[in-house]
């Protein structure tokens, strides 16, 4: 029994549903076959009820044919009438031979035996009558004809009496069979209804057993989507598709909890460091940099976790693991080692992760291309600069383009300056909007629209703090629906490697 249960739990969803369908239909077919066999048997019995009467009627008709053909021959004495007589006589003899000749105490059997014996005598007298007619013995054929006619009348009366008695008896039997057939019909309908109800109950129970873990998974995933990461782990006992998704979901929740705990711990450490650094006037610039860097809207976290939960429900563990890993790398980037500066290569890797997460959320609507001068990947720059720029391209440029939006990332050098270009083919920007972004007066409007990332004023302020230049960014847009290009300017200074 345990082996059967284990085999059932290891079966795929398609196999389970197919097994339920086949078993219930086989059960219904078996019941229908039994009912049809019963109906056919009772129909056969009802058909046999009046077979004896039909045989007696046929015997009477054959007897009449013999008598009439004999009379025709005696009157006409033609070869055709004689041939007709012999044919009718042969047919009647065959019917008489089929009568039961066994000795029995049943009155019907005795009457049949008497009819059979009288029929033999009758045919013998008729033959003598025919022979006397052919021999032109008038007195003999007349005497034989009278005897044959008397015997004919007696046999006809006997057959008629037997036929009436059998019809009366068969009518009683037919009534009983008809009542039994009606009862069988009623029982058959009741059995079919009971089978249908039983099948519905069985299917509902088995399907409910299959779907129940999926309902539990959906409920837990909905809690995770709402930001509750303390949900109970799923009790996974099967090895089908739902079991695979359930185990992947449990692993995802564990990973999310670990990553969130790391983020909390890192943020707490950073907060303590900020408090200390704010007390030191000499490190005011570093404190301002960390304060600006910490302004990350957690709403993006919840959106991405929601997409991850949906993937856990619909797909296998590999894709879910890849998605969660990219998401984890994205957030871990903000707190790793408390660093405020990174390399251009690390910033580009963050953008790659960010684009991947968005394409999972929006079904691959964002087309992303990049052209990088690899010799510039080790150039130092502030962290969380490129991602907010790309986020603004998505939110305010290409989100509503239904899969036609494109983003190009280009890194190149001009003299001692590193240029990072982020370009899109979106709705573009007007001169007034560009001026507001560059002067830092666009922040309140941007936040009012519900931006999910760091504001452009934040990016510009940190770039100015890092480079100590005023001209750190330019924005180019040729007009409505012509796209926008944001160019960031950095000093060509490579990051020094730390000794481990």
């Amino acid at each position: 029994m345990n082996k059967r249960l284990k085999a059932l739990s290891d079966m795929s969803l398609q196999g389970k549903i197919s097994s339920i369908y086949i078993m219930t239909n086989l059960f219904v077919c078996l019941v229908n076959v039994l009912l049809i066999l019963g109906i056919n048997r009772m129909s056969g019995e009802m058909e046999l009820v009046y077979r004896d009467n039909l045989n007696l009627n046929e015997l009477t008709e054959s007897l009449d044919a013999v008598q009439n053909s004999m009379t025709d021959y005696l009157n006409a004495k033609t070869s055709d009438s004689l041939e007709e007589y012999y044919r009718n006589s042969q047919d009647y003899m065959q019917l008489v031979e089929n009568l039961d000749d066994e000795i029995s105490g049943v009155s019907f059997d005795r009457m049949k035996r008497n009819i059979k014996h009288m029929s033999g005598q009758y045919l013998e007298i008729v033959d003598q009558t025919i022979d006397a007619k052919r021999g032109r013995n008038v007195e003999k054929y007349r005497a034989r004809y009278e005897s044959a006619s008397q015997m004919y009348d007696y046999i006809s009366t006997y057959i008629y009496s037997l036929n009436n008695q059998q019809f009366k008896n068969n009518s009683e039997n037919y009534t009983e069979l008809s009542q039994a057939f009606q009862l069988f019909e009623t029982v058959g309908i009741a059995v079919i209804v009971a089978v249908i109800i039983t099948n519905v109950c069985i299917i509902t129970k088995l399907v409910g057993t299959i779907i129940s873990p999926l309902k539990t998974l959906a409920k837990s995933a909905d809690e995770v989507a709402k930001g509750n990461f303390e949900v109970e782990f799923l009790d996974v006992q099967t090895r089908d598709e739902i079991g695979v998704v359930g185990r992947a979901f449990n692993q995802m929740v564990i990973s999310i909890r670990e990553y969130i705990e790391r983020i909390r711990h890192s943020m707490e450490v950073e907060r303590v460091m900020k408090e200390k650094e704010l007390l030191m006037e000499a490190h005011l610039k570093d404190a301002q940099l960390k304060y600006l860097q910490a302004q990350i809207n957690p709403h993006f976290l919840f959106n991405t976790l929601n997409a991850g939960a949906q993937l856990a429900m619909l797909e296998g563990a590999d894709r879910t693991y890849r998605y969660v890993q990219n998401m984890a790398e994205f957030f871990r980037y903000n707190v790793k080692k408390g660093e405020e500066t990174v390399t251009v290569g690390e910033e580009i890797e963050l953008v790659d992760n960010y684009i991947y997460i968005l394409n999972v959320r929006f079904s691959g609507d964002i087309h992303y291309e990049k052209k990088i001068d690899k010799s510039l990947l080790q150039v130092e720059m502030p962290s969380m600069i490129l991602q907010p720029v790309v986020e603004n391209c998505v939110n305010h440029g290409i989100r509503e383009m239904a899969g036609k939006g494109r983003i190009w990332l280009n890194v190149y050098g001009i003299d001692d300056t590193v240029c990072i270009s982020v370009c899109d083919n979106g709705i573009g920007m007007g001169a007034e909007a560009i001026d507001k972004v560059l002067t830092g007066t666009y922040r309140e409007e941007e936040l009012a629209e519900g931006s999910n990332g760091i504001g452009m004023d934040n990016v510009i302020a940190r770039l100015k703090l890092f480079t100590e230049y005023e001209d750190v960014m330019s924005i180019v847009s040729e007009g409505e629906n012509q796209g926008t290009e944001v160019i960031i300017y950095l000093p060509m200074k490579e990051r020094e490697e730390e000794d481990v």
Side-chain angles (χ1 to χ4, degrees):
M1 187 65 179
N2 292 332
K3 291 183 178 179
R4 292 182 179 179
L5 292 175
K6 186 177 183 300
L8 182 62
S9 65
D10 293 343
M11 190 181 297
S12 66
L13 284 179
Q14 182 179 359
K16 291 179 180 178
I17 295 174
S18 299
S19 299
I20 294 172
Y21 178 81
I22 292 172
M23 290 174 60
T24 54
N25 279 276
L26 285 177
F27 184 49
V28 172
C29 289
L30 178 61
V31 172
N32 285 332
V33 168
L34 293 177
L35 290 176
I36 291 172
L37 291 176
I39 291 173
N40 289 337
R41 183 180 62 81
M42 296 193 71
S43 298
E45 292 179 357
M46 294 181 70
E47 183 179 349
L48 292 174
V49 168
Y50 291 106
R51 179 170 294 180
D52 289 340
N53 292 108
L54 294 175
N55 292 337
L56 290 175
N57 289 335
E58 187 178 0
L59 186 64
T60 300
E61 292 175 357
S62 181
L63 177 63
D64 292 340
V66 172
Q67 183 68 18
N68 292 333
S69 61
M70 179 192 69
T71 303
D72 291 341
Y73 176 75
L74 294 178
N75 292 331
K77 198 179 179 182
T78 62
S79 59
D80 292 338
S81 59
L82 181 62
E83 184 179 353
E84 180 70 16
Y85 162 73
Y86 284 129
R87 183 167 57 252
N88 292 332
S89 175
Q90 185 67 28
D91 293 341
Y92 181 69
M93 179 60 68
Q94 290 179 356
L95 293 176
V96 169
E97 290 295 330
N98 292 330
L99 293 177
D100 190 7
D101 195 24
E102 294 182 1
I103 299 176
S104 172
V106 181
S107 60
F108 292 156
D109 293 340
R110 291 197 301 269
M111 294 178 72
K112 290 178 182 179
R113 189 170 64 253
N114 292 335
I115 291 173
K116 186 173 184 179
H117 292 164
M118 287 188 296
S119 295
Q121 295 175 4
Y122 168 72
L123 290 175
E124 183 179 349
I125 295 173
V126 172
D127 286 339
Q128 293 175 1
T129 303
I130 295 297
D131 291 339
K133 179 64 177 178
R134 295 179 68 182
R136 298 181 179 181
N137 190 340
V138 178
E139 293 182 359
K140 184 176 181 181
Y141 90 76
R142 285 181 177 176
R144 293 292 184 274
Y145 177 74
E146 291 179 358
S147 299
S149 298
Q150 291 177 356
M151 184 67 70
Y152 163 75
D153 292 336
Y154 188 72
I155 294 173
S156 297
T157 303
Y158 212 83
I159 293 175
Y160 179 78
S161 176
L162 176 61
N163 199 2
N164 286 339
Q165 292 183 27
Q166 284 192 340
F167 182 80
K168 181 179 180 181
N169 183 68
N170 290 337
S171 296
E172 295 176 356
N173 293 336
Y174 180 83
T175 301
E176 293 177 358
L177 285 174
S178 178
Q179 293 175 351
F181 187 83
Q182 292 177 355
L183 177 61
F184 184 82
E185 183 180 15
T186 303
V187 172
I189 294 174
V191 169
I192 291 176
V193 172
V195 169
I196 292 174
I197 294 175
T198 303
N199 278 348
V200 170
C201 294
I202 292 174
I203 292 174
T204 303
K205 178 65 176 178
L206 293 178
V207 171
T209 303
I210 295 174
I211 299 300
S212 179
L214 190 58
K215 291 181 178 179
T216 304
L217 175 60
K219 183 178 179 181
S220 298
D222 186 59
E223 289 295 320
V224 172
K226 293 177 181 178
N228 178 18
F229 303 115
E230 299 301 324
V231 295
E232 295 183 1
F233 292 122
L234 301 177
D235 184 14
V236 181
Q237 297 180 352
T238 62
R239 295 184 179 274
D240 56 13
E241 292 84 349
I242 297 177
V244 172
V245 175
R247 283 186 287 272
F249 178 83
N250 289 340
Q251 185 60 44
M252 185 197 71
V253 171
I254 293 173
S255 299
I256 291 175
R257 289 178 182 177
E258 292 177 352
Y259 291 133
I260 290 178
E261 185 60 31
R262 292 178 185 175
I263 291 173
R264 288 177 179 173
H265 177 72
S266 298
M267 292 181 69
E268 180 64 23
V269 172
E270 187 177 358
R271 185 187 63 82
V272 174
M273 291 177 62
K274 285 180 182 178
E275 291 178 353
K276 293 180 179 180
E277 289 170 358
L278 287 173
L279 298 177
M280 302 171 60
E281 184 176 355
H283 298 97
L284 177 60
K285 185 182 296 186
D286 293 338
Q288 290 175 339
L289 182 60
K290 290 181 178 294
Y291 175 77
L292 292 171
Q293 187 178 359
Q295 297 177 4
I296 300 175
N297 191 332
H299 188 238
F300 179 75
L301 169 62
F302 299 148
N303 283 341
T304 52
L305 290 180
N306 185 29
Q310 294 173 4
L311 279 177
M313 292 171 57
L314 300 176
E315 300 184 352
D318 291 337
R319 287 193 61 192
T320 304
Y321 175 77
R322 182 184 175 192
Y323 178 82
V324 174
Q325 281 296 106
N326 277 273
M327 183 178 63
E329 291 294 333
F330 180 82
F331 290 107
R332 184 163 46 192
Y333 181 86
N334 298 284
V335 294
K336 62 174 184 177
K337 301 180 181 178
E339 295 175 351
E340 63 277 5
T341 60
V342 293
T343 64
V344 172
E346 290 174 326
E347 276 288 282
I348 293 173
E349 184 178 357
L350 176 66
V351 171
D352 293 344
N353 289 335
Y354 177 70
I355 293 292
Y356 171 81
I357 293 171
L358 289 183
N359 273 326
V360 172
R361 289 176 56 196
F362 302 117
S363 303
D365 284 349
I366 301 171
H367 301 279
Y368 170 59
E369 298 178 15
K370 56 184 179 179
K371 183 178 180 181
I372 310 297
D373 185 348
K374 295 183 179 180
S375 64
L376 304 177
L377 292 179
Q378 295 302 317
V379 172
E380 190 176 33
M381 67 179 293
S383 64
M384 291 299 293
I385 294 295
L386 295 184
Q387 183 271 331
V389 175
V390 173
E391 182 179 9
N392 276 278
C393 291
V394 174
N395 291 341
H396 304 293
I398 66 173
R399 172 170 288 180
E400 305 300 329
M401 295 183 68
K404 297 181 180 180
R406 292 185 175 275
I407 294 178
W408 293 271
L409 177 63
N410 190 7
V411 179
Y412 56 95
I414 300 178
D415 296 332
D416 60 345
T417 302
V418 177
C419 301
I420 303 178
S421 169
V422 179
C423 184
D424 66 68
N425 64 339
I427 61 176
M429 294 179 66
E432 183 179 354
I434 292 175
D435 183 66
K436 286 184 177 182
V437 171
L438 294 177
T439 57
T441 59
Y442 198 76
R443 181 187 179 192
E444 293 182 358
E445 298 175 16
E446 182 184 52
L447 292 178
E449 295 176 5
S451 173
N452 289 331
I454 300 173
M456 291 296 291
D457 61 331
N458 185 302
V459 171
I460 295 173
R462 290 191 290 120
L463 282 172
K464 290 181 178 180
L465 285 173
F466 175 78
T467 62
E468 298 182 355
Y469 298 155
E470 282 298 317
D471 187 14
V472 294
M473 178 183 293
S474 63
I475 301 177
V476 180
S477 180
E478 296 182 2
E480 186 176 357
N481 296 322
Q482 296 299 315
T484 303
E485 181 180 14
V486 178
I487 305 175
I488 298 171
Y489 305 104
L490 299 171
M492 193 173 294
K493 180 178 68 173
E494 292 191 0
R495 190 178 187 184
E496 296 180 0
E497 295 293 332
E498 297 179 359
D499 295 333
V500 179

